[in-house]
């Protein structure tokens, strides 16, 4: 029912350079660059839930205003279950204001990832994919209901139901 992942390799070019990132008390610039590049790779691959590693979960659950969702599985089910949830994930990444000083938080990495998501129109692309998946689900449901109740009405020839209001 669903098409393959939406791939966006150019999202990763250029890779994060530790020279332009600010270290924090808890992470070096090299660590920020490595995990920033891992996040870009994950998004570029279409956010496959099976590639959502513990390291990605630990970092992303503390970025872009996301919360932990109890555990990695819950986070993945919330954000990477289908095209609509992936679109919602990217929408939050793209719109997040990236507060804070990058010497204390990962706002420098967040700003760059959000910028790349916006530049590559990933929210729009995933919105289109979500619509395609919704139509496919609805067609399956239509076929199931037609098999159950009979009929072959299509959207072109189906009568529009009307409600008759009467006085009691």
């Amino acid at each position: 029912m669903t098409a393959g992942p939406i791939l966006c390799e150019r999202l990763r070019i250029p890779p994060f350079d530790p020279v332009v990132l600010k270290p924090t008390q808890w992470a070096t610039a090299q660590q920020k660059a490595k995990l920033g590049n891992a996040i870009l790779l994950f998004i570029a691959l279409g956010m496959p839930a099976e590639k959502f590693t513990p390291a990605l979960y630990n970092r992303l659950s503390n970025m872009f205003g996301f919360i932990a969702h109890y555990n990695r599985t819950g986070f993945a089910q919330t954000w990477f279950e289908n095209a609509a949830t992936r679109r919602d994930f990217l929408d939050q990444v793209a719109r997040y204001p990236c507060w804070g000083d990058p010497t204390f938080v990962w706002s420098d990495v967040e700003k760059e990832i959000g910028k790349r998501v916006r530049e590559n129109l990933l929210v729009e692309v995933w919105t289109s994919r979500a619509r395609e998946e919704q139509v496919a689900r609805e067609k399956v449901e239509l076929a199931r209901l037609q098999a159950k109740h009979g009929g072959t009405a299509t959207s072109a020839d189906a009568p529009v139901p009307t409600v008759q209001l009467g006085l009691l």
Side-chain angles (χ1 to χ4, degrees):
M1 175 173 18
T2 61
I6 296 171
L7 306 177
C8 186
E9 183 61 29
R10 69 180 175 196
L11 185 73
R12 302 176 57 212
I13 302 167
F16 275 103
D17 183 353
V19 172
V20 300
L21 299 173
K22 303 286 185 206
T24 71
Q25 177 180 350
W26 304 276
T28 66
Q30 290 78 12
Q31 290 169 319
K32 287 172 92 173
K34 181 180 179 182
L35 212 37
N37 287 324
I39 294 167
L40 290 174
L41 174 60
F42 177 70
I43 295 170
L45 292 174
M47 298 160 284
E50 66 275 7
K51 298 231 184 242
F52 188 56
T53 65
L56 287 174
Y57 166 69
N58 289 334
R59 177 50 35 209
L60 281 171
S61 66
N62 288 291
M63 293 175 74
F64 303 105
F66 291 117
I67 59 171
H69 290 86
Y70 301 108
N71 58 35
R72 182 170 56 103
T73 301
F75 192 101
Q77 288 172 340
T78 299
W79 297 110
F80 311 122
E81 189 75 15
N82 56 49
T85 59
R86 286 177 174 91
R87 178 220 35 233
D88 294 345
F89 172 83
L90 291 169
D91 186 54
Q92 186 158 331
V93 167
R95 291 186 304 113
Y96 189 69
C98 307
W99 292 304
D101 183 329
T103 59
F104 294 97
V105 295
W106 286 52
S107 59
D108 48 355
V109 176
E110 289 172 319
K111 285 178 186 174
E112 183 61 26
I113 292 172
K115 177 180 153 227
R116 293 183 192 199
V117 166
R118 288 187 302 276
E119 287 175 350
N120 287 283
L121 304 174
L122 288 179
V123 173
E124 293 80 357
V125 172
W126 280 98
T127 296
S128 179
R129 175 62 57 82
R131 281 191 203 113
E132 292 169 8
E133 284 185 4
Q134 179 66 29
V135 167
R137 282 191 303 274
E138 289 172 353
K139 286 181 178 181
V140 167
E141 180 67 4
L142 176 61
R144 184 189 72 77
L145 290 171
Q146 286 176 333
K148 179 178 179 180
H149 298 290
T152 57
T154 64
S155 60
D157 60 9
V160 176
T162 59
V163 176
Q164 298 284 329
L165 297 178
L167 298 175
L168 295 175

